[in-house]
């Protein structure tokens, strides 16, 4: 699931004249996507690299991928590198921001005074899907590593949601398919449908539907004992099947939300001693699959 960029492609990408992107509402415009694709497909070995990426995300055993863009991050300035990362994302689906008040790429830094379990907190960020309570969650969530935790903590964790569900009892799966779960607030969002409350955790087809799960619902939502127990059983199976790795500068993680859930181990203790400008920093971008397509662009 880790994809290295061939050296001849890296060399060509360093000199690629990608323009600044344009948005239609909060979505990358078709014209921008076409321009990016035209520029990229003219470079050596790009088509096979893009095909490898799409297969890693949508193949039978796929669901996530990490593009190793570290050399390009070093060679390009911030603006040019973000254009390139956006262009790679556009080969998968349509980049967009569901948050009108934030830019296309959203900063996820480290705030020591924030809820430790949040994405910008310092504690364990348990398995979840992003925008779990929207009727149309992003099909893909992506994280671009600018800086890892300088103290060595915070590895990413991922788990195959459908494989975890398959290991549950029939009774638990039946409970998870009931419209009995809820979590979070819903306001000032764009491109993700309406608020879904309550919702089923198992939502859609057995292999491609969303597994609408966030472990935070176990502590912060009022659930019946039976529904909570079923969700807790799923949480245990997600942990049982998890993979873990540390993102390095320039690594670009793309997660197919219809297949995998994600999270993060706790950052290393002592974050208060790290200057804000040196703390872990990720940039997040969401992707919407083409109309009528579940897990492929």
């Amino acid at each position: 699931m880790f994809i290295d960029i061939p050296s001849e492609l890296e060399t060509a990408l360093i000199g690629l004249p990608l323009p600044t992107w344009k948005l239609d509402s909060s979505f990358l415009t078709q014209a921008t996507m076409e321009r990016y694709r035209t520029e990229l497909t003219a470079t050596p070995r790009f088509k096979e690299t893009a095909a490898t990426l799409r297969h890693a995300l949508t193949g039978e055993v796929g669901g996530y991928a990490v593009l190793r863009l570290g050399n390009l991050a070093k060679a390009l300035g911030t603006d040019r590198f973000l254009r390139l990362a956006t262009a790679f994302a556009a080969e998968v689906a349509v980049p967009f921001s569901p948050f009108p008040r934030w830019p296309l790429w959203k900063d996820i830094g480290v705030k020591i005074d924030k809820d430790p379990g949040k994405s910008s907190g310092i504690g364990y960020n348990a398995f979840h899907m992003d925008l779990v309570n929207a009727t149309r969650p992003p099909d893909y969530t992506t994280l671009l590593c600018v800086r890892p935790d300088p103290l060595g903590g915070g590895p990413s964790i991922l788990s195959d949601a459908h494989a975890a569900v398959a290991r549950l009892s029939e009774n638990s799966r039946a409970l998870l398919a009931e419209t009995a779960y809820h979590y979070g607030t819903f306001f000032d969002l764009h491109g993700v449908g309406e608020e879904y409350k309550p919702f089923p955790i198992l939502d859609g087809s057995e292999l491609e539907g969303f597994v609408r799960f966030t472990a935070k619902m176990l502590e912060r939502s009022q659930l019946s004992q039976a529904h909570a127990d079923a969700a807790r059983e799923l949480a245990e199976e997600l942990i049982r099947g998890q993979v873990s790795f540390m993102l390095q500068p320039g690594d670009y993680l793309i997660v197919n939300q219809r297949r995998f859930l994600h999270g993060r181990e706790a950052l290393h203790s002592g974050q208060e001693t790290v200057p804000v400008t040196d703390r872990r920093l990720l940039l997040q971008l969401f992707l919407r699959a083409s109309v009528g397509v579940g897990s492929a662009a």
Side-chain angles (χ1 to χ4, degrees), residues 67-71 73-74 81 144-148 246-252:
L67 278 171
R68 313 306 297 267
L69 304 177
N71 291 337
K74 293 177 183 177
F81 181 59
L144 181 63
C145 180
V146 178
R147 288 188 303 271
M246 188 73 74
L247 292 175
Q248 301 301 322
D251 281 352
Y252 187 26

Side-chain angles (χ1 to χ4, degrees), residues 30 38 54 62 83 108 143 150 179 183 208 220-221 228 277 292:
Q30 187 65 32
T38 297
R54 287 190 290 266
R83 292 176 206 171
I108 299 180
L143 294 166
T179 306
Y183 174 78
E208 292 295 335
R220 304 179 187 181
S221 299
T277 54

Side-chain angles (χ1 to χ4, degrees), residues 50-194:
T52 299
L53 172 61
R54 287 190 290 266
H55 181 73
L57 293 168
T58 64
E60 288 186 8
V61 295
Y64 74 91
V66 179
L67 278 171
R68 313 306 297 267
L69 304 177
N71 291 337
L72 290 161
K74 293 177 183 177
L76 302 172
T78 300
D79 289 345
R80 291 182 63 205
F81 181 59
L82 280 183
R83 292 176 206 171
L84 180 61
T86 304
F88 268 106
E91 289 297 310
V92 175
V94 183
F96 80 107
S97 171
F99 311 109
R101 61 192 181 280
W102 287 324
L104 184 64
W105 289 88
K106 173 191 172 187
D107 286 13
I108 299 180
V110 175
K111 299 177 181 178
I112 60 175
D113 57 348
K114 190 146 186 175
D115 179 344
K118 295 287 189 181
S119 59
S120 58
I122 63 175
Y124 174 62
N125 187 12
F127 280 114
H128 63 280
M129 68 170 288
D130 289 327
L131 283 91
V132 65
N133 60 335
T135 54
R136 296 190 66 221
D139 296 292
Y140 299 87
T141 185
T142 82
L143 294 166
L144 181 63
C145 180
V146 178
R147 288 188 303 271
D149 177 6
L151 300 180
S156 297
I157 55 175
L158 292 104
S159 192
D160 184 330
H162 290 281
V165 169
R167 295 192 294 268
L168 300 177
S169 67
E170 183 176 346
N171 181 63
S172 290
R173 291 198 298 271
L175 286 164
L176 295 175
E178 293 180 1
T179 306
Y181 296 88
H182 51 92
Y183 174 78
T185 58
F186 191 94
F187 64 93
D188 197 17
L189 297 173
H190 182 85
V192 292
E194 306 297 329

Side-chain angles (χ1 to χ4, degrees), residues 257-271:
Q257 289 217 116
R258 291 179 181 272
R259 299 193 180 187
F260 271 71
L261 300 178
H262 67 285
R264 186 208 67 231
E265 298 284 4
L267 302 182
H268 198 282
S269 60
Q271 292 297 314

